[in-house]
Amino acid sequence: MHSIVSLFMKFHSVIVLSLLVVFTGINSVSYGQTHPLEAKAAYLLAEESYGRGDMRAALQYLDEAGTKLGTANAKILYLKIMTLKELSAKSPSYREQLDTTIVAFEKAPDLADFNEEKTLEIIKIKLERRRQKNLGDQLEQALLDYQTKIGWVIGMRADSLEKSRPDLFIDQPGKHYVYKTGVNRSISLLYHYKSPNLQNLSDIITIRDSVISSHAHYYYDYPNETANFDNSLQAQARILDDLKNTFGHVPAPVIKTTEYDKSTGGGTLVNYTYIWQGKSLQMALNILHFSPGGKNGSSCVLSLYK
């Protein structure tokens, strides 16, 4: 009897083990087929999203493709870098992810077999990012030097600055004349004019909750411009050259054109905006060319703010 029970138990164990092997094999084959197929499908969706300009969706699909494969290959990482490059051009928050993805691409196990032309594209992006980082470090120092030069340090308490630089808060004959006004309980504005009758505005300083929050410097204001805005074009050439020397480079301008209501005489307003983006501060140069009712005018303002 004992031998029969023992034989039965051995037979039962063999059956159980056989079933485990069978089902484990089926599951392994199933997952082995499903993951690469899902990874491929996710990659194809990423390509489609990238092609129609939906970079956020492309990035999500590429992350999913890498997860399904267990690790992203050079092909996935290449498209991810190209996607992050587009995203980081509009939002600096993606730059760090772009840099880490470039590092991952360089360590991809199949990189040696990847397309050489596309690999060179990534190397060019890497070198450009290195240049941008160097410019960023230069810009941070330039922004600090600029604030030291003008006296207005963004983020500094106004009462502390008034103690160290009282000249910024009172009339300085021949340099500037001060007018201060409160906008509301938390915001006040400090105006600097070039003449004692409060004409020829030169600077506006915003004080929010007793802290310096922004500074705007007015380079020029030409209410009677020529037909081709010659006064502005001549002045802005010098200004842009000075800013290039100060901040290391001049970014490409963002140009926005607005049409005036024809019922009021028509005309256009063209705004040329140059932005230097620091880690915590932003510098913007706005050059305006306007022609309401056919009368041309122009102005130029440099603003520093968080």
Side-chain angles (χ1 to χ4, degrees):
M1 182 69 179
H2 177 74
S3 61
I4 295 174
V5 172
S6 176
L7 182 62
F8 174 78
M9 292 300 294
K10 289 180 179 180
F11 181 70
H12 181 265
S13 298
V14 170
I15 293 174
V16 170
L17 287 171
S18 299
L19 289 173
L20 284 172
V21 169
V22 170
F23 283 112
T24 302
I26 290 174
N27 286 339
S28 297
V29 171
S30 176
Y31 280 106
Q33 290 176 343
T34 301
H35 282 191
L37 287 175
E38 288 187 5
K40 185 175 182 179
Y43 180 82
L44 291 174
L45 287 169
E47 281 190 321
E48 293 173 10
S49 300
Y50 182 88
R52 64 172 180 267
D54 190 350
M55 299 303 161
R56 293 179 186 274
L59 185 60
Q60 291 174 352
Y61 284 127
L62 288 167
D63 285 339
E64 185 174 356
T67 300
K68 294 298 182 183
L69 282 181
T71 183
N73 57 28
K75 184 177 181 180
I76 292 173
L77 291 168
Y78 166 80
L79 185 56
K80 187 173 181 179
I81 290 169
M82 303 307 290
T83 302
L84 287 167
K85 179 187 175 185
E86 295 295 325
L87 288 168
S88 63
K90 297 179 180 178
S91 175
S93 61
Y94 287 97
R95 291 174 184 171
E96 184 176 349
Q97 190 178 357
L98 172 60
D99 294 336
T100 57
T101 306
I102 291 173
V103 173
F105 175 84
E106 293 177 326
K107 295 179 180 179
D110 60 338
L111 181 60
D113 301 321
F114 191 61
N115 182 285
E116 182 179 354
E117 186 175 341
K118 290 183 176 181
T119 301
L120 287 172
E121 286 186 61
I122 302 305
I123 294 174
K124 287 165 64 177
I125 293 173
K126 175 186 176 180
L127 295 176
E128 176 61 20
R129 282 292 299 134
R130 184 181 298 169
R131 188 185 73 85
Q132 290 174 353
K133 287 179 183 178
N134 291 336
L135 286 175
D137 293 339
Q138 293 175 20
L139 177 60
E140 289 302 310
Q141 185 60 49
L143 288 173
L144 179 61
D145 293 342
Y146 176 78
Q147 292 176 87
T148 303
K149 178 182 177 182
I150 63 175
W152 302 106
V153 180
I154 307 301
M156 187 175 183
R157 288 190 58 84
D159 52 2
S160 297
L161 183 59
E162 190 168 6
K163 290 179 181 178
S164 61
R165 289 291 305 274
D167 57 298
L168 297 174
F169 293 82
I170 58 176
D171 292 351
Q172 296 292 303
K175 294 180 63 178
H176 63 251
Y177 301 85
V178 178
Y179 172 73
K180 185 176 182 180
T181 181
V183 178
N184 54 42
R185 293 180 64 182
S186 62
I187 299 176
S188 59
L189 298 175
L190 198 65
Y191 296 85
H192 280 191
Y193 293 90
K194 295 178 182 177
S195 53
N197 58 350
L198 302 185
Q199 296 292 319
N200 300 318
L201 179 65
S202 64
D203 299 89
I204 297 180
I205 298 88
T206 305
I207 302 172
R208 184 187 297 269
D209 295 324
S210 302
V211 173
I212 308 299
S213 63
S214 70
H215 169 260
H217 175 67
Y218 287 73
Y219 279 107
Y220 61 78
D221 180 19
Y222 298 124
N224 299 303
E225 261 286 6
T226 65
N228 296 318
F229 298 97
D230 294 318
N231 294 324
S232 177
L233 292 173
Q234 186 176 0
Q236 68 183 254
R238 294 193 302 270
I239 292 167
L240 289 171
D241 192 50
D242 287 342
L243 291 175
K244 182 178 181 180
N245 292 333
T246 300
F247 299 114
H249 73 292
V250 173
V254 176
I255 304 173
K256 182 180 180 181
T257 301
T258 304
E259 299 291 335
Y260 286 109
D261 192 334
K262 291 183 179 180
S263 64
T264 60
T268 59
L269 167 64
V270 183
N271 185 0
Y272 303 84
T273 304
Y274 300 80
I275 296 177
W276 290 263
Q277 180 64 60
K279 293 178 181 177
S280 61
L281 297 180
Q282 182 169 285
M283 179 77 81
L285 180 73
N286 288 93
I287 298 173
L288 302 177
H289 290 176
F290 42 91
S291 56
K295 182 181 179 181
N296 289 358
S298 64
S299 62
C300 181
V301 184
L302 182 65
S303 305
L304 179 64
Y305 51 91
K306 280 193 174 183

Short mmCIF file of all heavy atoms in Angstrom, two decimals, residues 156-204:
data_model
loop_
_atom_site.label_atom_id
_atom_site.label_comp_id
_atom_site.label_asym_id
_atom_site.label_seq_id
_atom_site.Cartn_x
_atom_site.Cartn_y
_atom_site.Cartn_z
N MET A 156 15.83 91.68 -3.78
CA MET A 156 16.34 92.37 -2.59
C MET A 156 15.24 93.22 -1.97
O MET A 156 14.41 93.79 -2.67
CB MET A 156 17.53 93.25 -2.98
CG MET A 156 18.24 93.88 -1.81
SD MET A 156 19.73 94.78 -2.37
CE MET A 156 20.39 95.33 -0.81
N ARG A 157 15.22 93.32 -0.65
CA ARG A 157 14.23 94.15 0.02
C ARG A 157 14.50 95.63 -0.29
O ARG A 157 15.65 96.07 -0.28
CB ARG A 157 14.24 93.93 1.53
CG ARG A 157 13.65 92.58 1.97
CD ARG A 157 13.48 92.54 3.48
NE ARG A 157 12.61 93.63 3.95
CZ ARG A 157 11.28 93.58 3.98
NH1 ARG A 157 10.66 92.49 3.54
NH2 ARG A 157 10.58 94.59 4.44
N ALA A 158 13.43 96.35 -0.55
CA ALA A 158 13.57 97.76 -0.93
C ALA A 158 14.16 98.59 0.20
O ALA A 158 14.98 99.49 -0.05
CB ALA A 158 12.21 98.32 -1.35
N ASP A 159 13.79 98.30 1.46
CA ASP A 159 14.31 99.09 2.58
C ASP A 159 15.81 98.85 2.77
O ASP A 159 16.57 99.78 3.10
CB ASP A 159 13.55 98.79 3.87
CG ASP A 159 13.46 97.30 4.20
OD1 ASP A 159 14.03 96.49 3.44
OD2 ASP A 159 12.82 96.96 5.20
N SER A 160 16.27 97.62 2.50
CA SER A 160 17.71 97.33 2.60
C SER A 160 18.47 98.06 1.50
O SER A 160 19.55 98.61 1.72
CB SER A 160 17.96 95.83 2.49
OG SER A 160 17.35 95.13 3.56
N LEU A 161 17.90 98.05 0.29
CA LEU A 161 18.56 98.72 -0.83
C LEU A 161 18.58 100.23 -0.61
O LEU A 161 19.56 100.91 -0.94
CB LEU A 161 17.83 98.39 -2.14
CG LEU A 161 18.45 98.97 -3.41
CD1 LEU A 161 19.89 98.49 -3.59
CD2 LEU A 161 17.62 98.60 -4.62
N GLU A 162 17.50 100.76 -0.03
CA GLU A 162 17.44 102.21 0.21
C GLU A 162 18.51 102.65 1.19
O GLU A 162 19.04 103.76 1.10
CB GLU A 162 16.05 102.58 0.72
CG GLU A 162 15.81 104.08 0.75
CD GLU A 162 14.36 104.44 0.97
OE1 GLU A 162 13.54 103.53 1.23
OE2 GLU A 162 14.03 105.65 0.90
N LYS A 163 18.85 101.77 2.13
CA LYS A 163 19.92 102.10 3.08
C LYS A 163 21.30 102.09 2.42
O LYS A 163 22.14 102.94 2.70
CB LYS A 163 19.90 101.11 4.25
CG LYS A 163 18.70 101.26 5.17
CD LYS A 163 18.73 100.21 6.28
CE LYS A 163 17.52 100.35 7.18
NZ LYS A 163 17.50 99.31 8.26
N SER A 164 21.51 101.09 1.54
CA SER A 164 22.82 100.98 0.90
C SER A 164 22.96 101.88 -0.31
O SER A 164 24.07 102.31 -0.65
CB SER A 164 23.07 99.52 0.48
OG SER A 164 22.09 99.08 -0.45
N ARG A 165 21.84 102.18 -1.00
CA ARG A 165 21.87 103.04 -2.19
C ARG A 165 20.76 104.08 -2.11
O ARG A 165 19.82 104.07 -2.91
CB ARG A 165 21.72 102.21 -3.46
CG ARG A 165 22.89 101.32 -3.82
CD ARG A 165 24.11 102.13 -4.28
NE ARG A 165 23.80 103.04 -5.36
CZ ARG A 165 23.83 102.70 -6.65
NH1 ARG A 165 24.17 101.47 -7.00
NH2 ARG A 165 23.55 103.58 -7.60
N PRO A 166 20.83 105.02 -1.17
CA PRO A 166 19.78 106.03 -1.05
C PRO A 166 19.63 106.90 -2.29
O PRO A 166 18.57 107.46 -2.55
CB PRO A 166 20.20 106.86 0.17
CG PRO A 166 21.69 106.64 0.27
CD PRO A 166 21.90 105.24 -0.18
N ASP A 167 20.72 106.99 -3.09
CA ASP A 167 20.69 107.83 -4.29
C ASP A 167 19.67 107.33 -5.32
O ASP A 167 19.21 108.10 -6.17
CB ASP A 167 22.07 107.87 -4.94
CG ASP A 167 22.58 106.47 -5.27
OD1 ASP A 167 22.76 105.66 -4.34
OD2 ASP A 167 22.79 106.20 -6.47
N LEU A 168 19.32 106.05 -5.25
CA LEU A 168 18.35 105.49 -6.21
C LEU A 168 16.92 105.92 -5.90
O LEU A 168 16.04 105.82 -6.76
CB LEU A 168 18.43 103.96 -6.21
CG LEU A 168 19.76 103.33 -6.67
CD1 LEU A 168 19.71 101.83 -6.49
CD2 LEU A 168 20.04 103.68 -8.13
N PHE A 169 16.69 106.40 -4.68
CA PHE A 169 15.32 106.69 -4.24
C PHE A 169 15.01 108.18 -4.15
O PHE A 169 13.90 108.56 -3.81
CB PHE A 169 15.07 106.03 -2.87
CG PHE A 169 15.07 104.53 -2.92
CD1 PHE A 169 16.26 103.81 -2.91
CD2 PHE A 169 13.87 103.82 -3.00
CE1 PHE A 169 16.26 102.43 -2.96
CE2 PHE A 169 13.86 102.44 -3.04
CZ PHE A 169 15.06 101.73 -3.03
N ILE A 170 16.00 109.02 -4.43
CA ILE A 170 15.77 110.47 -4.37
C ILE A 170 16.27 111.12 -5.65
O ILE A 170 17.02 110.52 -6.41
CB ILE A 170 16.48 111.10 -3.14
CG1 ILE A 170 17.99 110.82 -3.21
CG2 ILE A 170 15.90 110.56 -1.84
CD1 ILE A 170 18.78 111.49 -2.09
N ASP A 171 15.85 112.37 -5.88
CA ASP A 171 16.28 113.10 -7.06
C ASP A 171 17.81 113.24 -7.10
O ASP A 171 18.44 113.54 -6.07
CB ASP A 171 15.67 114.50 -7.08
CG ASP A 171 14.16 114.46 -7.31
OD1 ASP A 171 13.65 113.38 -7.62
OD2 ASP A 171 13.52 115.52 -7.17
N GLN A 172 18.35 113.01 -8.28
CA GLN A 172 19.78 113.21 -8.51
C GLN A 172 19.89 114.17 -9.68
O GLN A 172 19.88 113.75 -10.84
CB GLN A 172 20.47 111.89 -8.82
CG GLN A 172 20.44 110.88 -7.69
CD GLN A 172 21.29 111.32 -6.50
OE1 GLN A 172 22.49 111.56 -6.64
NE2 GLN A 172 20.66 111.45 -5.35
N PRO A 173 19.93 115.50 -9.42
CA PRO A 173 19.95 116.49 -10.50
C PRO A 173 20.98 116.17 -11.57
O PRO A 173 22.14 115.88 -11.27
CB PRO A 173 20.28 117.79 -9.76
CG PRO A 173 19.75 117.57 -8.38
CD PRO A 173 20.00 116.12 -8.09
N GLY A 174 20.52 116.20 -12.80
CA GLY A 174 21.39 115.89 -13.93
C GLY A 174 21.42 114.41 -14.28
O GLY A 174 21.92 114.04 -15.35
N LYS A 175 20.90 113.56 -13.38
CA LYS A 175 20.90 112.11 -13.63
C LYS A 175 19.48 111.57 -13.72
O LYS A 175 19.07 111.03 -14.73
CB LYS A 175 21.67 111.37 -12.53
CG LYS A 175 23.16 111.68 -12.51
CD LYS A 175 23.88 110.92 -11.41
CE LYS A 175 23.80 109.42 -11.63
NZ LYS A 175 24.55 108.68 -10.57
N HIS A 176 18.72 111.73 -12.62
CA HIS A 176 17.34 111.27 -12.65
C HIS A 176 16.51 112.00 -11.59
O HIS A 176 17.04 112.54 -10.61
CB HIS A 176 17.24 109.75 -12.43
CG HIS A 176 17.76 109.29 -11.10
ND1 HIS A 176 18.93 108.58 -10.96
CD2 HIS A 176 17.27 109.43 -9.83
CE1 HIS A 176 19.13 108.30 -9.68
NE2 HIS A 176 18.14 108.82 -8.99
N TYR A 177 15.19 111.98 -11.82
CA TYR A 177 14.23 112.61 -10.91
C TYR A 177 13.16 111.56 -10.61
O TYR A 177 12.67 110.87 -11.50
CB TYR A 177 13.64 113.86 -11.55
CG TYR A 177 14.70 114.88 -11.89
CD1 TYR A 177 15.39 114.81 -13.09
CD2 TYR A 177 15.04 115.88 -10.98
CE1 TYR A 177 16.39 115.72 -13.40
CE2 TYR A 177 16.04 116.80 -11.28
CZ TYR A 177 16.71 116.71 -12.49
OH TYR A 177 17.70 117.61 -12.79
N VAL A 178 12.82 111.42 -9.33
CA VAL A 178 12.03 110.29 -8.86
C VAL A 178 10.58 110.66 -8.60
O VAL A 178 10.27 111.72 -8.06
CB VAL A 178 12.65 109.71 -7.57
CG1 VAL A 178 11.82 108.55 -7.04
CG2 VAL A 178 14.08 109.26 -7.81
N TYR A 179 9.69 109.76 -9.01
CA TYR A 179 8.27 109.87 -8.67
C TYR A 179 7.81 108.49 -8.23
O TYR A 179 8.05 107.49 -8.91
CB TYR A 179 7.45 110.33 -9.87
CG TYR A 179 5.96 110.27 -9.64
CD1 TYR A 179 5.33 111.20 -8.80
CD2 TYR A 179 5.18 109.30 -10.25
CE1 TYR A 179 3.97 111.15 -8.57
CE2 TYR A 179 3.81 109.24 -10.03
CZ TYR A 179 3.21 110.17 -9.20
OH TYR A 179 1.86 110.11 -8.97
N LYS A 180 7.19 108.39 -7.07
CA LYS A 180 6.74 107.11 -6.53
C LYS A 180 5.23 107.11 -6.34
O LYS A 180 4.65 108.10 -5.91
CB LYS A 180 7.43 106.82 -5.19
CG LYS A 180 7.12 105.44 -4.61
CD LYS A 180 7.92 105.19 -3.33
CE LYS A 180 7.65 103.79 -2.79
NZ LYS A 180 8.42 103.53 -1.54
N THR A 181 4.63 106.00 -6.68
CA THR A 181 3.18 105.88 -6.51
C THR A 181 2.81 104.47 -6.10
O THR A 181 3.51 103.51 -6.47
CB THR A 181 2.45 106.23 -7.83
OG1 THR A 181 1.04 106.14 -7.62
CG2 THR A 181 2.83 105.28 -8.95
N GLY A 182 1.75 104.33 -5.34
CA GLY A 182 1.28 103.01 -4.93
C GLY A 182 0.18 102.52 -5.86
O GLY A 182 -0.77 103.26 -6.14
N VAL A 183 0.32 101.31 -6.35
CA VAL A 183 -0.71 100.73 -7.21
C VAL A 183 -1.81 100.11 -6.36
O VAL A 183 -2.99 100.30 -6.61
CB VAL A 183 -0.09 99.66 -8.14
CG1 VAL A 183 -1.16 99.01 -9.01
CG2 VAL A 183 0.99 100.29 -9.01
N ASN A 184 -1.40 99.35 -5.36
CA ASN A 184 -2.33 98.79 -4.37
C ASN A 184 -1.55 98.58 -3.08
O ASN A 184 -0.43 99.06 -2.93
CB ASN A 184 -2.99 97.50 -4.88
CG ASN A 184 -1.96 96.46 -5.32
OD1 ASN A 184 -0.95 96.27 -4.65
ND2 ASN A 184 -2.23 95.79 -6.44
N ARG A 185 -2.13 97.82 -2.15
CA ARG A 185 -1.49 97.67 -0.83
C ARG A 185 -0.15 96.93 -0.90
O ARG A 185 0.71 97.11 -0.05
CB ARG A 185 -2.43 96.91 0.10
CG ARG A 185 -3.70 97.69 0.45
CD ARG A 185 -4.59 96.89 1.37
NE ARG A 185 -3.95 96.64 2.66
CZ ARG A 185 -4.50 95.94 3.64
NH1 ARG A 185 -5.71 95.39 3.47
NH2 ARG A 185 -3.87 95.76 4.78
N SER A 186 0.04 96.10 -1.92
CA SER A 186 1.26 95.30 -1.98
C SER A 186 2.24 95.74 -3.07
O SER A 186 3.39 95.33 -3.06
CB SER A 186 0.91 93.82 -2.19
OG SER A 186 0.24 93.64 -3.41
N ILE A 187 1.79 96.58 -4.01
CA ILE A 187 2.65 96.97 -5.13
C ILE A 187 2.80 98.48 -5.21
O ILE A 187 1.83 99.22 -5.11
CB ILE A 187 2.08 96.46 -6.47
CG1 ILE A 187 1.99 94.93 -6.47
CG2 ILE A 187 2.95 96.91 -7.64
CD1 ILE A 187 1.35 94.36 -7.72
N SER A 188 4.03 98.93 -5.38
CA SER A 188 4.30 100.35 -5.63
C SER A 188 5.29 100.46 -6.77
O SER A 188 6.06 99.53 -7.04
CB SER A 188 4.85 101.03 -4.37
OG SER A 188 6.04 100.42 -3.94
N LEU A 189 5.26 101.58 -7.46
CA LEU A 189 6.12 101.81 -8.61
C LEU A 189 6.99 103.03 -8.36
O LEU A 189 6.54 104.04 -7.82
CB LEU A 189 5.29 102.03 -9.88
CG LEU A 189 4.41 100.86 -10.32
CD1 LEU A 189 3.55 101.27 -11.52
CD2 LEU A 189 5.24 99.63 -10.65
N LEU A 190 8.24 102.91 -8.77
CA LEU A 190 9.19 104.00 -8.64
C LEU A 190 9.62 104.39 -10.06
O LEU A 190 10.14 103.56 -10.81
CB LEU A 190 10.41 103.52 -7.83
CG LEU A 190 11.32 104.60 -7.22
CD1 LEU A 190 10.56 105.39 -6.18
CD2 LEU A 190 12.54 103.93 -6.59
N TYR A 191 9.36 105.65 -10.43
CA TYR A 191 9.68 106.14 -11.76
C TYR A 191 10.91 107.02 -11.72
O TYR A 191 11.05 107.86 -10.83
CB TYR A 191 8.52 106.96 -12.35
CG TYR A 191 7.24 106.18 -12.57
CD1 TYR A 191 6.32 106.01 -11.54
CD2 TYR A 191 6.94 105.66 -13.83
CE1 TYR A 191 5.14 105.31 -11.75
CE2 TYR A 191 5.76 104.97 -14.04
CZ TYR A 191 4.87 104.79 -13.01
OH TYR A 191 3.69 104.10 -13.21
N HIS A 192 11.80 106.84 -12.69
CA HIS A 192 12.93 107.73 -12.87
C HIS A 192 12.75 108.47 -14.19
O HIS A 192 12.50 107.85 -15.23
CB HIS A 192 14.25 106.95 -12.92
CG HIS A 192 14.77 106.57 -11.58
ND1 HIS A 192 16.04 106.08 -11.38
CD2 HIS A 192 14.21 106.61 -10.35
CE1 HIS A 192 16.24 105.83 -10.11
NE2 HIS A 192 15.13 106.14 -9.46
N TYR A 193 12.88 109.80 -14.13
CA TYR A 193 12.78 110.64 -15.32
C TYR A 193 14.10 111.35 -15.54
O TYR A 193 14.89 111.56 -14.60
CB TYR A 193 11.65 111.66 -15.18
CG TYR A 193 10.28 111.05 -15.15
CD1 TYR A 193 9.70 110.67 -13.94
CD2 TYR A 193 9.55 110.88 -16.32
CE1 TYR A 193 8.43 110.10 -13.91
CE2 TYR A 193 8.28 110.31 -16.30
CZ TYR A 193 7.72 109.93 -15.10
OH TYR A 193 6.47 109.36 -15.08
N LYS A 194 14.33 111.76 -16.78
CA LYS A 194 15.57 112.44 -17.11
C LYS A 194 15.50 113.94 -16.89
O LYS A 194 16.52 114.63 -16.93
CB LYS A 194 15.96 112.15 -18.56
CG LYS A 194 16.29 110.69 -18.84
CD LYS A 194 16.62 110.46 -20.30
CE LYS A 194 16.89 108.99 -20.60
NZ LYS A 194 17.15 108.75 -22.05
N SER A 195 14.30 114.46 -16.69
CA SER A 195 14.14 115.92 -16.51
C SER A 195 13.27 116.19 -15.29
O SER A 195 12.41 115.38 -14.92
CB SER A 195 13.52 116.55 -17.76
OG SER A 195 12.32 115.90 -18.12
N PRO A 196 13.48 117.35 -14.62
CA PRO A 196 12.79 117.65 -13.37
C PRO A 196 11.28 117.83 -13.51
O PRO A 196 10.55 117.71 -12.52
CB PRO A 196 13.45 118.96 -12.90
CG PRO A 196 14.04 119.55 -14.14
CD PRO A 196 14.45 118.38 -14.99
N ASN A 197 10.79 118.12 -14.72
CA ASN A 197 9.34 118.26 -14.90
C ASN A 197 8.68 116.90 -15.21
O ASN A 197 7.59 116.84 -15.75
CB ASN A 197 9.05 119.25 -16.03
CG ASN A 197 9.68 118.84 -17.35
OD1 ASN A 197 10.49 117.92 -17.39
ND2 ASN A 197 9.32 119.52 -18.42
N LEU A 198 9.41 115.82 -14.84
CA LEU A 198 8.94 114.44 -15.03
C LEU A 198 8.62 114.16 -16.49
O LEU A 198 7.56 113.62 -16.83
CB LEU A 198 7.72 114.16 -14.13
CG LEU A 198 7.97 114.36 -12.62
CD1 LEU A 198 6.74 113.92 -11.83
CD2 LEU A 198 9.21 113.61 -12.15
N GLN A 199 9.56 114.51 -17.34
CA GLN A 199 9.49 114.19 -18.76
C GLN A 199 10.66 113.26 -19.09
O GLN A 199 11.64 113.18 -18.36
CB GLN A 199 9.58 115.47 -19.60
CG GLN A 199 8.42 116.43 -19.39
CD GLN A 199 7.10 115.87 -19.91
OE1 GLN A 199 7.05 115.26 -20.97
NE2 GLN A 199 6.03 116.08 -19.15
N ASN A 200 10.54 112.56 -20.20
CA ASN A 200 11.58 111.64 -20.65
C ASN A 200 11.82 110.51 -19.64
O ASN A 200 12.84 110.46 -18.94
CB ASN A 200 12.89 112.38 -20.91
CG ASN A 200 12.75 113.45 -21.97
OD1 ASN A 200 12.11 113.24 -22.98
ND2 ASN A 200 13.35 114.61 -21.71
N LEU A 201 10.87 109.60 -19.57
CA LEU A 201 10.95 108.46 -18.66
C LEU A 201 12.17 107.61 -19.00
O LEU A 201 12.43 107.30 -20.16
CB LEU A 201 9.67 107.61 -18.79
CG LEU A 201 9.58 106.35 -17.94
CD1 LEU A 201 9.55 106.70 -16.46
CD2 LEU A 201 8.34 105.55 -18.32
N SER A 202 12.90 107.20 -17.97
CA SER A 202 14.08 106.36 -18.20
C SER A 202 13.98 104.99 -17.53
O SER A 202 14.45 103.99 -18.08
CB SER A 202 15.36 107.06 -17.71
OG SER A 202 15.31 107.26 -16.31
N ASP A 203 13.34 104.92 -16.35
CA ASP A 203 13.27 103.65 -15.64
C ASP A 203 11.97 103.52 -14.85
O ASP A 203 11.45 104.53 -14.33
CB ASP A 203 14.44 103.50 -14.66
CG ASP A 203 15.79 103.53 -15.34
OD1 ASP A 203 16.34 104.63 -15.52
OD2 ASP A 203 16.26 102.44 -15.72
N ILE A 204 11.47 102.29 -14.74
CA ILE A 204 10.35 101.98 -13.85
C ILE A 204 10.76 100.78 -13.01
O ILE A 204 11.15 99.74 -13.54
CB ILE A 204 9.05 101.64 -14.61
CG1 ILE A 204 8.57 102.84 -15.42
CG2 ILE A 204 7.97 101.21 -13.62
CD1 ILE A 204 7.29 102.57 -16.19
#
